[in-house]
Each structure stands twice: as C-alpha cells, then as structure tokens.
C-alpha cells in the first residue's frame, strides 16, 4: 500500500514556516494507540518515532489513560505551580521508592518547567551557582535544547544560528570516538585544563548525553563515561548527564548512565517522564548541591499535576519489577539482527545503538531522507538525525510487540532496498 498525501490547506496557509515534522509526514493524524497512528483517511502508520522519545509507553497507554481519566473525573488539581498536592506527593513517593532507592541514588528533585530545555537551563544555572564559575563544557554533536543556555552547549550549527546572538560560556570538546580512536580519550581536554595559557576558563560543569540522539545516535562507551566522571572529580567540575531522550528506559536501564556505573552530580529528565506525552521535566541533583533560594528559579507550568499522575502510574506499571529493562534489551537484539542484515547488503550503511534507540548511517546523506520518505509511503514513521541528516533514527515505543517491531523492520529493509 502506498499512501497519497492529503492537501494540508490551513496548515500551510496559517501555520508558520518553522514547522518541520509535518513536512516529512504529510498526513493529518487523527487517532493513535500503542505503536500505531491513524490519519483522518483511515491509513494506519507504525510509529518508530514515539513523539521524539516522549511516548516510551506508546500512544494512549490504557493503564496511564485510566489513571488520568479517573484523576480528571474526580476534579483533581490540574495547575499547581509548586504547591503541595496529592498528585505530586504520590509521584515523589513513587519515584523515590521505585527509581531512586533501588539504585541508591542520592538525588533531590526539582520541577523546573514543562520541557527538556527548562531542565537543562536549571541544571546549568545551578552548576554555575554552586561553583561560582561561568564556563560549561559540552561535546561535539551535542543537542541540549533550543533556548539560549541550552543552545550554547549544543553543537549543531543550524540550530545555533537561530539564536541570532553570540552563544557564550560554552566550550565544545570531542565526544567519544570523535577522532576514530586515533587520539587518547580527553587528551585535548586535560591539556587545556592544565595549561595556564590555554584560554579555557575553569569550567563549572561538563554536560553530556550518553547517547547523542539528535547528533546521530553516537553511543559513548561505558569506559569513556567513567573516565569523564573521574576527570570531573579530579578537576572540581560537576558532571551533568542530559537523559531527556535516552532516560526513562530508552537504552535499557531507567537511566542511560546505569550501565557505566557512574553517578552524575546532576541529571535532566523530560520527554517520557510523564509517560503519556504530557509536558513535564525534572532536574535531579545531589542533596549538597541544593543551594537554591526559594523562587530563585521557577516557571508557571512546573506543576502539571496530570503529568504527575501518569508518571506515577508508569513507574508502578513498568518499573517496579525489573521486566521492562529485560524486554527493551531483547527488542534491541531484534533490531540489531536486522541492522546486521541491512549493512551486509549495503556497504555504505553503518549502524549503532543501544536498547531501543538505533541509527542507520549512510555515506550519502540524501539517502537517509529518501529511506524515511519511502518508509512513510509504506506506513512507517522514521526520522533522520545527525549534522547532515545522514542517519535514519529508530525510536519505537518500549511497549512495541515483537510482531510490530518485525513488521517495522521489514518495512525499513524494504525502504533501504527500494532507494538504492
């Protein structure tokens, strides 16, 4: 079945040119459940995008939907700023009991606002406040958000240019394997830190993604992350892990850094923390870093109580027994087998990933976009990533069935063949 795109009329005439995803997926979507969306003409699409990672438990997850409907029907608080509410208390207690305590993590929670970039901004602000320094080190091909502080630690030139002003107090360093293994880890970074003539101000913090999603599915090795934590400790810098897209189980463990055995000073979460696609973000930090004055950082929509309800329900349903991690790793092995088969047939295709985030990179950047376009015609939603959009990015819901995953992977393989 090949899907014919509809006329988009009012979207094109009234909505800003800044819109992007709708250009690659020219359909008017109407309903969604699990791993599938349906457009207004009744065409079904398998979703390997999952709301850019904000729908790890699928669309309209029935467990979370029931909790949300019950809460709304009893007139539960919707907007609460940072007031104490029963919904917030339930979430805090569940997060502590299901996530923090079993992992022996010493974090306090801050609700900085509804989106990931709000969490990153608060993390940067807190690190600078704690250390009394301005500079923050980030990494090549990093993506941390679209507000000014987050853009200053983002690598993508196109996104940075949108700021329209100089982006200051951020310094990029090479991400893991940036030099294809030809340069020892952190050689340049350490030399700059130790050289009084380097021009690098002593950083307050280092911010890193364990897997760079927007940057092209670049996977940091566990030993590289451990060495980074050690460097931060030796040089009196805070380690911030941006787990906005890769957290909440995307790579296997609830936090993407668990595999490396590190404990960051600060962690940012968003996207799938609410479990239902509702806006919510968290900034987690070690207790001794909590030097905020009341109201020193705030936001009108930091108390999205329906998101607290679905977040608590998601933790109870999927993280209380340890099965989600095992399932995600098993689904990841299923993807890896397909990637091996595709790369065996396509010498210019290379893959990498962890858990349920994978990337298929093509030597010709245009090929990735062509594969995604053909996949859409065949009823599969895929997006590209990487600085030249050269990577086909796979981000299916964690709750996808093996049969649905197999269907999507067959469509991916067909799309690769038909765009050769």
């Amino acid at each position: 079945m090949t899907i014919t795109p509809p006329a988009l009329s009012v979207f094109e005439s009234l909505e800003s040119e800044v819109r992007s995803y709708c250009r690659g997926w020219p359909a008017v979507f109407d309903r969604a459940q699990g791993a599938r969306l349906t457009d207004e003409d009744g065409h079904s699409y398998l979703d390997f995008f999952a709301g850019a990672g904000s729908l790890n438990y699928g669309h309209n997850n029935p467990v979370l939907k029931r909790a949300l409907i019950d809460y709304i029907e009893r007139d539960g608080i919707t907007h609460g700023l940072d007031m104490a509410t029963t919904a917030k208390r339930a979430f805090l207690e569940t997060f502590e009991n299901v996530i923090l305590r079993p992992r022996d993590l010493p974090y306090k929670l801050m609700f900085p606002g509804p989106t990931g970039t709000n969490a990153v901004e608060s993390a940067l602000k807190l690190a600078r406040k704690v250390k009394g320094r301005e500079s923050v080190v980030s990494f090549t091909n990093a993506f941390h958000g679209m507000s000014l502080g987050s853009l200053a630690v983002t690598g993508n030139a196109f996104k940075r240019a949108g700021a329209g002003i100089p982006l200051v107090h951020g310094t990029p360093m090479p991400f893991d394997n940036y030099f294809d293994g030809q340069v020892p880890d952190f050689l340049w970074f350490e030399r700059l830190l130790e050289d009084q003539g380097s021009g690098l101000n002593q950083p307050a913090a280092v911010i890193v993604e364990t897997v760079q999603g927007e940057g092209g599915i670049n996977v940091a090795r566990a030993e590289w992350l451990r060495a980074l934590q050690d460097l931060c400790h030796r040089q009196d810098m805070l380690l911030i892990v941006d787990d906005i897209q890769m957290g909440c189980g995307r790579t296997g463990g609830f936090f993407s850094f668990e595999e490396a055995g590190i404990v960051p000073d600060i962690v940012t979460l968003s996207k799938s923390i609410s479990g239902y696609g509702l806006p919510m973000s968290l900034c987690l930090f070690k207790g001794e870093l909590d030097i905020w004055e009341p109201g020193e950082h705030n936001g009108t929509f930091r108390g999205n109580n329906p998101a607290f309800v679905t977040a608590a329900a998601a933790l109870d349903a999927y993280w209380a027994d340890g099965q989600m991690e095992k399932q995600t790793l098993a689904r990841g092995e299923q993807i890896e087998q397909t990637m091996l088969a595709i790369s065996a047939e396509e010498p210019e295709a290379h893959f990498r990933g962890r858990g349920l985030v994978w990337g298929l990179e093509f030597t010709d950047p245009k090929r990735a976009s062509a594969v995604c376009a053909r996949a859409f015609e065949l009823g599969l939603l895929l997006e590209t990533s990487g600085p030249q959009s050269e990577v086909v990015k796979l981000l299916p819901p964690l709750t996808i069935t093996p049969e649905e995953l197999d269907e999507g992977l067959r469509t991916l393989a067909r799309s690769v063949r038909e765009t050769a």
Side-chain angles (χ1 to χ4, degrees):
M1 175 189 69
T2 298
I3 297 167
T4 303
L8 297 180
S9 59
V10 70
F11 303 106
E12 294 177 340
S13 65
L14 192 59
E15 192 178 359
S16 167
E17 292 299 317
V18 79
R19 65 194 189 281
S20 60
Y21 291 118
C22 58
R23 298 179 189 275
W25 303 325
V28 180
F29 297 103
D30 182 48
R31 291 175 290 113
Q33 210 287 315
R36 295 186 185 275
L37 294 90
T38 305
D39 69 19
E40 62 181 359
D41 295 321
H43 299 128
S44 177
Y45 302 80
L46 194 56
D47 186 4
F48 271 28
F49 174 64
S54 63
L55 294 166
N56 281 2
Y57 312 107
H59 296 267
N60 285 303
N61 181 289
V63 176
L64 311 189
K65 179 166 65 174
R66 184 72 265 158
L68 179 60
I69 290 172
D70 288 347
Y71 183 75
I72 292 172
E73 286 186 338
R74 74 167 184 81
D75 291 331
I77 297 291
T78 295
H79 180 274
L81 294 161
D82 67 358
M83 295 183 290
T85 65
T86 56
K88 182 193 280 189
R89 180 174 59 201
F91 168 73
L92 288 169
E93 291 173 346
T94 304
F95 195 82
E96 181 178 30
N97 293 332
V98 175
I99 302 301
L100 296 182
R101 246 183 225 149
R103 293 163 179 78
D104 196 26
L105 292 172
Y107 296 135
K108 295 189 73 172
L109 274 67
M110 173 181 176
F111 300 93
T115 74
T117 200
N118 296 130
V120 170
E121 294 285 355
S122 66
L124 298 176
K125 185 188 289 188
L126 179 60
R128 287 168 170 141
K129 179 178 173 66
V130 168
K131 291 299 182 183
R133 307 181 210 126
E134 296 174 348
S135 178
V136 173
V137 166
S138 57
F139 291 94
T140 50
N141 291 312
F143 178 78
H144 295 291
M146 298 298 282
S147 51
L148 293 181
S150 300
L151 278 177
V153 291
T154 287
N156 187 283
F158 172 72
K159 293 181 172 65
R160 288 174 62 89
I165 61 171
L167 297 171
V168 296
H169 308 309
T171 303
M173 291 291 166
F175 191 71
D176 190 14
N177 205 38
Y178 187 72
F179 294 109
D180 299 319
Q182 300 302 305
V183 177
D185 295 339
F186 308 115
L187 177 67
W188 175 242
F189 193 179
E190 289 208 66
R191 181 66 184 270
L192 291 180
L193 288 170
E194 294 167 359
D195 183 359
Q196 295 300 306
S198 70
L200 175 64
N201 295 331
Q202 176 68 17
V206 173
I207 185 167
V208 67
E209 303 153 275
T210 66
V211 180
Q212 294 181 326
E214 295 298 310
I217 317 302
N218 305 312
V219 182
R221 294 167 296 139
E223 55 266 35
W224 186 85
L225 291 168
R226 288 192 290 268
L228 177 59
Q229 177 176 257
D230 179 64
L231 175 61
C232 288
H233 288 169
R234 286 188 285 107
Q235 296 287 347
D236 188 33
M237 302 178 296
L238 297 178
L239 176 59
I240 305 169
V241 167
D242 180 340
D243 234 3
I244 287 166
Q245 188 169 79
M246 298 303 156
C248 301
R250 177 54 56 182
T251 65
F254 184 83
F255 295 105
S256 70
F257 55 80
E258 291 180 48
E259 181 190 51
I262 64 173
V263 180
D265 299 293
I266 303 175
V267 181
T268 59
L269 287 175
S270 187
K271 291 194 182 286
S272 276
I273 186 59
S274 80
Y276 203 75
L278 299 176
M280 176 180 173
S281 72
L282 293 175
C283 186
L284 317 178
F285 40 81
K286 294 178 178 178
E288 64 268 23
L289 304 180
D290 191 12
I291 62 170
W292 292 113
E293 295 291 334
E296 190 175 7
H297 188 90
N298 56 39
T300 303
F301 293 100
R302 66 193 183 278
N304 186 356
N305 280 251
F308 299 157
V309 171
T310 54
L315 297 178
D316 276 332
Y318 295 103
W319 292 99
D321 61 4
Q323 292 305 303
M324 177 57 75
E325 180 173 355
K326 295 177 183 177
Q327 177 178 298
T328 296
L329 296 176
R331 302 283 193 273
E333 292 175 3
Q334 190 177 345
I335 294 178
E336 187 173 13
Q337 293 306 307
T338 296
M339 292 296 201
L340 284 166
I342 291 174
S343 61
E345 294 180 9
E346 290 280 340
E348 294 191 352
H350 309 279
F351 70 91
R352 50 192 177 263
R354 275 180 59 194
L356 276 176
V357 53
W358 291 81
L360 185 64
E361 180 179 3
F362 291 92
T363 305
D364 178 5
K366 295 179 181 177
R367 183 79 181 282
S369 296
V371 168
C372 290
R374 181 57 181 149
F376 173 78
E377 293 173 348
L378 298 172
L380 175 67
L381 300 186
L382 291 166
E383 72 163 333
T384 61
S385 70
Q388 296 180 318
S389 297
E390 74 276 22
V391 178
V392 175
K393 181 179 181 182
L394 280 65
L395 212 68
L398 307 185
T399 51
I400 194 169
T401 67
E403 295 76 20
E404 289 170 328
L405 186 56
D406 183 62
E407 176 190 338
L409 292 172
R410 282 188 278 110
T411 302
L412 169 64
R414 176 181 171 184
S415 301
V416 171
R417 286 193 304 271
E418 293 183 357
T419 55

